[in-house]
Amino acid sequence: MAETATPAQAESGETRRDFLYLAAAGMGAIGTACVAWPLIDSMNPSAEVLALASTEVDLGPIAEGQRVTVTWRGNPVFIDHRTQAQIQQAEDVDIASLPDPQADADRVETPEWLIVIGVCTHLGCVPLGQRTGQSRGDFGGWFCPCHGSHYDTSGRIRKGPAPLNLPVPPYQFTGDNIIVIG
Amino acid sequence: MSGFQTNSRVIKWIEYRMPVFSFLNHSIGAGYPAPKNLSYMWNFGSLAGFTLVIMIVTGILLAMQYTAHVDYAFDSVERIMRDVNFGWLLRYIHMNGASFFFIVVYIHMFRGLYYGSYKAPRELLWILGVVILLLMMMTAFMGYVLPWGQMSFWGAKVITNLFSAVPIFGEGIVTWLWGGFTVDNPTLNRFYALHYLMPFVIVAVVVLHIWALHQFGSNNPLGIDPKGPQDKIPFHPYYTAKDSFGMGVFLIVFAAVIFYLPNYMGHPDNYIPADPLATPAHIVPEWYFLPFYAILRAIPDKLLGVIAMFGSIAVLFVLPWLDRSPVKSGRFRPIFRIFFVLLAIDVVVLGFVGANPPEGAWLITGQIATFWYFLHFLVVLPLLGVFERPKPLPTSISEPVLKGGGSLAGAPAKPMEKA
């Protein structure tokens, strides 16, 4: 070992061999990570799953006060044709008091149409409230029966273990009454 | 104890080239001396191994009939039940076998908790056992998804969503687990692949578990080390016979459930095909997960709830260092005994809480029981190690039986030596 080290290196206890060990181990680690990535990434959503990424909905037949569920990327999307009272209720809330503060205006394109992904942000159940007769929770929106989360008429979390509001999917109006989600 | 001996030339030929027979002899044969005072509580280790074999055999046969696709999975299970020869029997054995596996393992664990089997020098043995428990939980969870009923689907959704509580990477991890944007065909496929793989990983860890066991041998109801050959008897035929008897009793109970109450521990909702757009009104996991589910729901914060649930198992990994009492067996620890019973009650209470909606009295009870669970391991056990005054220990395994006799009486050890 001594002949591979200069006198100065020998005094500090470091040798070329130490450097070679580190360099070899480092290259090994980088190489392993490079090989591991394709294996790990193969479990991510595949091209044909990603290709199913948009859904077109005709809002025409949905009456005021009616709620409709459509499927987008395998998940339910809640479309709520809100009444004036429901819109008022959603807008009158003190935003600072919310667990996940967000104004109603930031969650809709037009106030009459609330479009949210119907998957509870706690552990992924589908909240109740889409059908007549189902519980809508304490705030007139949706109620998740799994662990008791209450959402308001803007789909915002108000009470219960869910940390976030029901997410708004990316969507746009392509006609007067046609939306494309995704 | 006796070394391995044989007159068979074939066995001798193999033994010389690969000492597999003497290995078996030392593992489960006459060459493995075990403490002579092991009670029926020591049956459950071999019983767990036996159940694992039942699960693997029935599982492989079921795999030959099952189709892992969202459109066919439910129907293929119904086909197994109606059309496949003895398919109903295979499935009911496999389905209830999971429950019985957990019953056996939970008894095995509580036995270890009471008799201090996790203490030095058996810490690694205990830790490997907790690893097996974790692997079993993963296997059972993924197996429950395969019939693709409502509980399968929503159980999978809720449990995989636990990982969304991870800060920053949560959503990415969940999408990666699903292979999509919700639990769907890619999820079912990978769960099937992993469900087939995991039991063999369990077998590997069981081998390590037994390896660690044989380093110091079994603990015993007195929790004191055998002082010599007079305190031991050969595993075969004594404990092979005792284990076989216990196995017979186990099989009677197992068969009674398979033939008369096959769906008692299941949920009727799982006979409804999975519907990704409608959550059943009341989702509950299988009974063996209920205490952990109760801990998850006891805490109103998502991330903290998930941490508490994983923490309830993580605490078992460090148990050998939390309980500092030098006395192993609960028999000689008067205060520990009381707290052990309280812990057992606490876990049962958590089970009932987990089966009920988290509202009102159930929620409060769940929070108190969760608090007590952690208090037991993190506060009570460390303090007991310092303040508890244990009862005097017998000087040997023979002493309590021989009433002060045993090795002290100077009885010659020679007759025992032959055993």
Side-chain angles (χ1 to χ4, degrees):
Chain A
M1 188 91 71
E3 66 269 20
T4 64
T6 65
Q9 284 171 329
E11 274 167 38
S12 69
E14 291 168 11
T15 63
R16 289 181 191 185
R17 185 156 297 184
D18 288 335
F19 172 77
L20 288 173
Y21 279 143
L22 278 175
M27 278 310 289
I30 293 167
T32 308
C34 290
V35 173
W37 176 245
L39 306 182
I40 294 169
D41 193 39
S42 74
M43 285 174 69
N44 270 319
S46 56
E48 107 282 0
V49 171
L50 293 171
L52 294 171
S54 71
T55 300
E56 192 180 80
V57 187
D58 180 7
L59 301 179
I62 306 172
E64 190 174 295
Q66 194 183 357
R67 288 174 171 180
V68 166
T69 307
V70 297
T71 309
W72 175 59
R73 301 201 306 196
N75 282 311
V77 169
F78 294 165
I79 298 176
D80 184 9
H81 193 170
R82 299 191 292 184
T83 61
Q84 272 310 312
Q86 287 173 324
I87 296 168
Q88 202 63 40
Q89 206 182 336
E91 285 173 348
D92 284 350
V93 176
D94 175 19
I95 293 163
S97 71
L98 296 171
D100 180 15
Q102 203 178 14
D104 185 57
D106 296 337
R107 296 175 53 77
V108 291
E109 294 272 323
T110 58
E112 303 86 65
W113 296 103
L114 176 72
I115 292 153
V116 288
I117 297 174
V119 176
C120 182
T121 57
H122 182 228
L123 292 174
C125 295
V126 177
L128 301 176
Q130 283 299 95
R131 293 189 193 155
T132 43
Q134 283 181 343
S135 167
R136 292 188 169 190
D138 294 350
F139 300 89
W142 289 269
F143 170 67
C144 183
C146 291
H147 307 95
S149 292
H150 299 255
Y151 296 91
D152 67 11
T153 54
S154 187
R156 291 173 299 202
I157 180 65
R158 298 295 287 273
K159 190 174 135 188
L164 299 170
N165 302 333
L166 293 179
V168 178
Y171 69 94
Q172 56 186 1
F173 282 86
T174 54
D176 278 350
N177 270 326
I178 309 256
I179 56 165
V180 173
I181 305 171
Chain B
M1 303 287 158
S2 60
F4 176 70
Q5 276 159 5
T6 177
N7 292 323
S8 161
R9 294 177 67 182
V10 177
I11 290 178
K12 276 181 180 164
W13 187 92
I14 296 170
E15 177 72 15
Y16 178 71
R17 283 152 185 85
M18 194 172 89
V20 61
F21 293 101
S22 56
F23 174 77
L24 285 175
N25 185 51
H26 282 292
S27 304
I28 50 169
Y32 171 42
K36 66 181 180 184
N37 60 336
L38 297 186
S39 66
Y40 276 109
M41 291 309 290
W42 266 258
N43 275 35
F44 291 89
S46 67
L47 212 45
F50 176 64
T51 317
L52 178 60
V53 172
I54 293 178
M55 294 303 282
I56 289 178
V57 170
T58 52
I60 290 171
L61 292 170
L62 285 169
M64 295 176 188
Q65 310 286 348
Y66 171 78
T67 311
H69 188 283
V70 290
D71 294 335
Y72 306 106
F74 189 88
D75 291 346
S76 76
V77 172
E78 285 307 305
R79 185 187 150 264
I80 289 171
M81 293 300 290
R82 291 149 199 254
D83 294 346
V84 175
N85 300 333
F86 291 104
W88 59 272
L89 182 62
L90 288 175
R91 174 161 177 267
Y92 279 158
I93 291 175
H94 198 73
M95 193 174 117
N96 288 291
S99 281
F100 275 84
F101 202 177
F102 276 96
I103 292 172
V104 167
V105 163
Y106 284 154
I107 295 174
H108 188 61
M109 289 177 70
F110 270 98
R111 189 269 295 162
L113 285 173
Y114 184 72
Y115 292 107
S117 299
Y118 47 83
K119 290 187 185 181
R122 297 186 182 85
E123 300 98 322
L124 268 182
L125 173 61
W126 171 262
I127 288 171
L128 286 166
V130 181
V131 170
I132 295 172
L133 175 70
L134 279 176
L135 292 171
M136 278 175 63
M137 289 176 146
M138 290 163 69
T139 313
F141 160 65
M142 289 189 283
Y144 192 60
V145 176
L146 303 184
W148 209 244
Q150 273 289 66
M151 282 293 175
S152 298
F153 181 89
W154 291 100
K157 187 131 193 209
V158 166
I159 300 301
T160 48
N161 252 305
L162 293 178
F163 292 94
S164 69
V166 176
I168 306 168
F169 304 107
E171 289 302 319
I173 292 173
V174 173
T175 307
W176 177 73
L177 286 174
W178 288 340
F181 302 103
T182 181
V183 172
D184 210 333
N185 201 42
T187 325
L188 178 62
N189 267 300
R190 63 190 55 186
F191 277 21
Y192 182 46
L194 292 172
H195 182 72
Y196 204 114
L197 167 72
M198 300 289 287
F200 300 98
V201 179
I202 293 178
V203 168
V205 184
V206 165
V207 169
L208 296 179
H209 190 68
I210 295 172
W211 188 0
L213 170 70
H214 283 82
Q215 186 72 4
F216 293 100
S218 296
N219 184 31
N220 63 75
L222 295 176
I224 57 173
D225 293 332
K227 293 287 185 293
Q230 75 278 10
D231 284 341
K232 295 179 177 179
I233 47 176
F235 189 82
H236 179 74
Y238 294 98
Y239 288 118
T240 43
K242 191 164 185 163
D243 283 355
S244 302
F245 177 73
M247 211 169 272
V249 175
F250 169 80
L251 284 173
I252 291 171
V253 181
F254 191 23
V257 171
I258 289 167
F259 291 111
Y260 296 101
L261 297 160
N263 288 300
Y264 181 72
M265 289 180 277
H267 296 288
D269 277 35
N270 219 29
Y271 285 103
I272 303 168
D275 178 359
L277 298 184
T279 310
H282 187 48
I283 302 186
V284 273
E286 291 282 86
W287 69 266
Y288 38 79
F289 291 136
L290 288 175
F292 305 103
Y293 194 57
I295 291 175
L296 167 75
R297 299 192 302 181
I299 294 165
D301 183 87
K302 180 172 162 180
L303 179 59
L304 290 179
V306 173
I307 290 173
M309 188 181 74
F310 284 110
S312 64
I313 295 187
V315 77
L316 297 176
F317 280 106
V318 291
L319 175 62
W321 295 276
L322 292 173
D323 180 1
R324 303 307 302 244
S325 171
V327 175
K328 289 196 188 101
S329 173
R331 274 194 197 175
F332 305 106
R333 302 184 61 190
I335 308 176
F336 169 84
R337 285 175 90 144
I338 298 168
F339 281 104
F340 174 82
V341 173
L342 286 177
L343 177 73
I345 295 171
D346 188 63
V347 173
V348 174
V349 168
L350 279 171
F352 278 100
V353 170
N356 284 283
E359 294 155 7
W362 285 116
L363 183 62
I364 306 289
T365 314
Q367 286 168 341
I368 295 168
T370 301
F371 179 73
W372 185 261
Y373 182 90
F374 286 103
L375 193 80
H376 177 90
F377 286 106
L378 298 176
V379 178
V380 173
L381 283 183
L383 287 182
L384 279 184
V386 178
F387 293 107
E388 184 184 44
R389 167 176 278 216
K391 290 189 209 161
L393 294 173
T395 52
S396 78
I397 288 176
S398 304
E399 193 207 62
V401 187
L402 301 176
K403 299 272 185 270
S407 58
L408 283 180
K414 212 175 69 194
M416 308 284 192
E417 207 96 59
K418 283 181 89 173

